[in-house]
Amino acid sequence: MVLLVTSHILAAALLLGLGARLGRRGTIAAALVVPGVAAAWFASQIGGVLDGAERSQRWTWLPDLDVALSFRLDGFALLMALVVTGMGTLVLAYSGSYFGPEVPLERLSRFAGGFVAFAGAMLGLVLADDTWTLFIFWEATTITSFVLIGLDHEGAGARSAAQQALLVTGAGGLALFGGLALLADAAGTTSLAGLSAAPATAVVVQVGLVLVLVGAFTKSAQFPFQFWLPGAMAAPTPVSAFLHSATMVKAGVVLVGRLAPLFAEVSWWRPTLVVVGGLTMLTGGISALRQHDAKLLLAHGTVSQLGLLMVLFGLGHPATTAAGVALLVGHALFKAALFLAVGIVDHATGSRDIRRLTGVGRRLPWVAAMTAVAAASMVGLPPLLGFVAKEAALDALVEEGDAWSVVALVVVVVGSVLTTAYSARLWFGLFSDGPGPTDEPATVRHPPSVGLTGPVGVLVGLTIAGGLLAGPLGDRLGVASEALDPAAEGHLTLWAGLHLPLFLSVGIVAAGAGLHLLLARSPGLPAARLSGTRAFQSTLDGLLVGARRVTAIVQSGSLPAYMAVVFVVLIAAMTAAFVGGAGIGPGGTSATGGSVLQAAVAVLAAAMAAAMVVARRRFVAVLMLGAVGYAMAAIFMLYGAPDLALTQVLVETITLVVFLLVLRHLPEGYSPPPEWAPRAVRIAISLAVGLGVATFALVAGTARTTSPVADEIVARSEPDAGGRNVVNVILVDVRGVDTLGEITVLAIAAAGVANLVRAARRDHGAGTDPLGDPHLSGAGPQPDPPDAIGARSVIFDQVSRAVFTLILLVSVYVTLRGHNAPGGGFAGGLIAGMAFVMRYLAAGSPHLRRPRALPTSGLIATGLLLAVGTGLTAAATGEEFLTSSIAEVGLPLIGTVKLVSSTVFDIGVYVLVLGVVLSVLTHLGSESSGHPPGLAEPGASPRAGAR
């Protein structure tokens, strides 16, 4: 199961990256492979699951926190997995004919990649046996559905619909996260089945259940969050058929189905689910009767049907649970068939407006017939699966007989009348000639291909077979029902004799037909006065206005103001800690002492810091700041920390170069201090911060009361991680996940620098250059760009050329030796970056003159992939993420060589750091002309002098 889920994700990545090269047919064919194989595998498991054999897989990520990815294939999970993979395969096959040559290949590859990614996320969700697994894939469906809804990213309507769906379901996801955390903590386990151990009467459990239901209601478009689903119809029809009828919108129903048998006896559970589901069913049905767009009609009808499913599963009775399982399958079949049929009509006529369509039934008789069968199943007519499932639902509600079951029965009957009416409105609007179109008629322009009608035929055939084979189907669905509630018995029958549910069904159909005829002769239902979409937009606009007002106050654009706020808060926090005695206690490590040389270096660093404060030129201040950094490196070395010293020197050197690159675009001196901060206030804040941080460091260094963990790390460094350099072992093994997060942040920062510089270049094209000379305006002729740092030195140029390769070799050596001696990937990457910095400062490198010769983004991505791949390889072998593996290999003439997998991680760090340095260098070091300053065009002579 883990392999099937991850294969979807990998296939999606390949389709997004290579889909445009595969062509149209190749893209769809490649997308079909993984869902098709997954569907075949799950089909092969039916026999074993029916015999009671369940499969489970668990991959522990954080054992101390019991965080793991856990999957279980029981009867219900298998049923939903077959729906996800089988329906996904059919819809993808349909998409191959639906998307014509007019659809750009790039958009088609994004559709295929996003579709497969969503299928993988949904598959992980329905197989989840753990709260964290459920939440991860829950959010993954939210993100991938956002991509699919906004597939036409150039259209304002699609972008708005995608944003609305993301915000609503994303907010629900946050509520779900909080609820699951509370329930898992109360139950003492993250297993979904184990949540029953949570005391249902405890306040924390009650709050957790409310939050979980909020998440389920948003995901399954329940009242009052139902408005996002019709808006999501901006997505292409295949997306709507898969996400918004068969899979994603069922996620909340699936969650309620899992939890209802555990918590249905909570006093407010059944009333809440019946009221919310009932309101959803009724409002969705009424809204469907107002629609003229066939796809929107189906969307509101889906909302209504989801309300029905929420009522059945939410009641938590064994009989209603079994009926809900049957109806869930029936709904997936007939609603997906209807969406795809509407797509066929739209594809053939260019319209979904039922007021404009004419003659479609005569021109497309097979499509009309298949749509009639699917609509009849939605209404609940025999001998179809929809009839069998609806009969089971009515029978269960009648048999239960408790107060809330009676309320649910009334709601279901009224809602089913509406279902009959809007089903008739849909079919007659699409395929009957009617009294004549109210606008320019839309007729069939071309017949549909087999690729379009075939998937609809399969779904309709399954709907018919499900009704005719109700008995055997019920026995098999019973296994799925029992996975939710062991007392649930799956019993379906096509003919149960003359009983109350049958009479109710007849009355529902008659009343629905009458309502359809009544509305057909009237102007139609009046528009709704209340709109969820308008309420959402008003709320969002209000939040944005409030955010802008708050931002205008707290983000004044004054850097001194920002720094003052940060420093004052820091001082207040440290003062509160000292006053309260937090972190102060007896310790055994003295923070005093040291040699005279250490004291001398410290005094020198303090002097450089004071010089930086009184300096009037930015350039001088930067040099003094660099001197402080080098002094810190000397102190590290004196304390016996060569790794820290080496890294500090390299970082300080690179930082100095970056400062100089930026200072070229700034005035030499400082701006006058703000009026609100006189010198006395600034001095007071500075002294308070300096004394406070120094005191905090002193207290923290003497507050230890137990033996440091460093002793254990030193002892286990070589036996467990295969390295004698404890610092490097900590970075790539003990705290490898932290390092992975840090290099990810570094990559994001590099991307931010690149985007900011590109934005400045665009402004320069518009007449303003934020990175240009601050003394020059955007108008008028501009002087040629200056040299990089100063006059070009021929000696420096030749020396840098001579040592360039040597420095790169040294960087590789430092990286590879870092596990046993001072060095490592970070230091090695900085050394390699220094080689390119030297070539830049020499102002003559043809490599920096050609930006494409420096694939900085490729280096950063490669470094991240190597680092992540090291962890995934360990996880694939059953170890914890980023656990090191050690192997000893005998080589001729060399002897035994110890190989440690964390070296690959370190190489990834090396490549990424080099990419970041090159990215910053090539973006900050180039003028708006696109050439690094001082690197003249071929044939041009360098100019002397510097600004």
Side-chain angles (χ1 to χ4, degrees), residues 335-746:
K335 190 54 66 73
L338 289 171
F339 267 109
L340 297 182
V342 168
I344 293 175
V345 173
D346 186 18
H347 196 273
T349 64
S351 175
R352 300 191 304 257
D353 192 334
I354 59 177
R355 297 169 297 182
R356 295 183 56 207
L357 296 171
T358 180
V360 177
R362 289 182 279 104
R363 293 289 304 278
L364 304 177
W366 284 104
V367 177
M370 290 187 294
T371 306
V373 173
S377 184
M378 182 163 64
V379 170
L381 296 181
L384 305 172
L385 179 57
F387 167 78
V388 173
K390 188 73 69 69
E391 285 283 291
L394 294 173
D395 185 56
L397 294 174
V398 170
E399 290 297 325
E400 289 299 334
D402 61 278
W404 286 107
S405 295
V406 172
V407 174
L409 178 62
V410 174
V411 171
V412 169
V413 169
V414 176
S416 298
V417 170
L418 298 174
T419 301
T420 302
Y422 67 68
S423 298
R425 176 180 174 84
L426 173 72
W427 193 89
F428 286 103
L430 287 174
F431 300 109
S432 70
D433 291 341
T438 60
D439 201 348
E440 180 181 352
T443 58
V444 177
R445 298 176 297 187
H446 57 80
S449 64
V450 176
L452 292 174
T453 58
V456 180
V458 172
L459 294 172
V460 169
L462 291 174
T463 299
I464 297 173
L468 296 176
L469 302 174
L473 177 63
D475 294 338
R476 286 156 177 78
L477 292 182
V479 178
S481 304
E482 292 169 4
L484 300 177
D485 187 345
E489 296 180 359
H491 177 67
L492 299 178
T493 180
L494 182 59
W495 174 252
L498 299 176
H499 59 158
L500 181 57
L502 179 62
F503 296 137
L504 289 175
S505 294
V506 173
I508 288 170
V509 174
L515 179 60
H516 168 67
L517 293 175
L518 178 64
L519 293 176
R521 295 186 176 93
S522 66
L525 294 177
R529 295 184 178 181
L530 299 178
S531 170
T533 302
R534 288 197 296 270
F536 167 82
Q537 196 59 49
S538 298
T539 303
L540 180 61
D541 291 342
L543 288 174
L544 293 177
V545 170
R548 283 193 289 268
R549 291 176 179 174
V550 172
T551 302
I553 296 174
V554 302
Q555 297 288 325
S556 61
S558 171
L559 183 59
Y562 299 159
M563 298 300 294
V565 170
V566 172
F567 288 153
V568 169
V569 171
L570 177 64
I571 295 168
M574 289 190 297
T575 302
F578 291 145
V579 171
I584 302 178
T589 303
S590 174
T592 61
S595 66
V596 176
L597 183 57
Q598 292 170 354
V601 175
V603 170
L604 178 61
M608 294 299 102
M612 180 185 66
V613 172
V614 300
R616 293 290 178 264
R617 297 179 59 190
R618 298 177 192 267
F619 179 76
V620 175
V622 167
L623 292 181
M624 294 301 101
L625 181 62
V628 173
Y630 288 125
M632 290 300 302
I635 291 176
F636 290 150
M637 181 63 71
L638 292 173
Y639 268 98
D643 268 294
L644 291 178
L646 175 62
T647 303
Q648 179 70 23
V649 168
L650 294 172
V651 169
E652 207 61 52
T653 304
I654 294 291
T655 303
L656 275 175
V657 174
V658 172
F659 265 124
L660 293 177
L661 293 176
V662 175
L663 287 181
R664 296 175 306 151
H665 309 291
L666 297 176
E668 291 185 359
Y670 293 103
S671 302
E675 297 180 357
W676 57 265
R679 176 176 294 182
V681 173
R682 288 182 280 125
I683 292 175
I685 294 176
S686 302
L687 289 175
V689 172
L691 293 175
V693 171
T695 304
F696 177 82
L698 179 64
V699 171
T702 59
R704 183 179 301 280
T705 58
T706 59
S707 59
V709 70
D711 296 340
E712 181 181 357
I713 294 177
V714 170
R716 298 176 57 182
S717 176
E718 188 170 6
D720 292 354
R724 294 187 298 274
N725 183 0
V726 179
V727 174
N728 185 263
V729 168
I730 292 174
L731 291 176
V732 302
D733 194 297
V734 180
R735 303 291 296 272
V737 176
D738 289 349
T739 303
L740 180 60
E742 290 162 3
I743 63 175
T744 303
V745 172
L746 195 60

